[in-house]
Amino acid sequence: MTNEQLALKHKFLNKHIFFGLNKIPNVETSSMVSFNEEDFAIVLKRVKEHKIGIYGIEVSFDSEFYSIKTHEEYSTFPQDAEWYTAAFKSLKEYQLDLRYSASYYIAGNLL
């Protein structure tokens, strides 16, 4: 991915997915930001609405890596909302104050 494409990806995510949410860190130049559980649920809803996808969801606890789920584990494509919805549900079962981040698939025609 070129720097220009990466900048367009960040712009798309900030404009359509991350707006109004509490990002950690609160920067405009990264797609690897994290959210609390409530805000990440909103992220997933917006991802589905905009028909983009998620390659993987990484969670941290007390600023340390805790777990990761990927679309490959669910034998599906990043755009399949069923996988990331199931993964999120599974991660919430830990009942910890986790921070959620994701790597996003965005089709070139959306940028």
Side-chain angles (χ1 to χ4, degrees):
M1 182 172 276
T2 67
N3 287 340
E4 182 179 334
Q5 290 171 317
L6 196 55
L8 290 171
K9 180 179 180 179
H10 296 156
K11 184 176 179 178
F12 179 92
L13 289 169
N14 282 295
K15 180 178 180 182
H16 299 288
I17 308 298
F18 301 159
F19 70 92
L21 303 176
N22 184 26
K23 300 184 297 190
I24 305 163
N26 189 12
V27 295
E28 300 293 320
T29 57
S30 177
S31 58
M32 285 306 291
V33 294
S34 62
F35 300 92
N36 64 25
E37 184 178 297
E38 182 180 336
D39 282 352
F40 196 68
I42 295 168
V43 166
L44 295 182
K45 180 179 177 237
R46 292 174 180 172
V47 164
K48 184 177 180 181
E49 288 170 354
H50 284 84
K51 297 179 172 69
I52 63 174
I54 295 180
Y55 292 113
I57 299 172
E58 183 177 312
V59 292
S60 59
F61 179 68
D62 284 342
S63 300
E64 297 290 327
F65 171 81
Y66 193 78
S67 185
I68 191 167
K69 302 279 185 185
T70 67
H71 71 94
E72 290 101 341
E73 291 176 57
Y74 291 80
S75 301
T76 191
F77 297 98
Q79 304 92 313
D80 181 359
E82 288 186 28
W83 97 258
Y84 55 78
T85 302
F88 183 53
K89 181 179 179 183
S90 170
L91 292 165
K92 290 191 318 182
E93 290 175 359
Y94 289 121
Q95 296 184 346
L96 296 170
D97 185 24
L98 298 173
R99 294 291 171 254
Y100 297 81
S101 60
S103 53
Y104 302 91
Y105 164 83
I106 305 173
N109 65 323
L110 294 175
L111 300 176

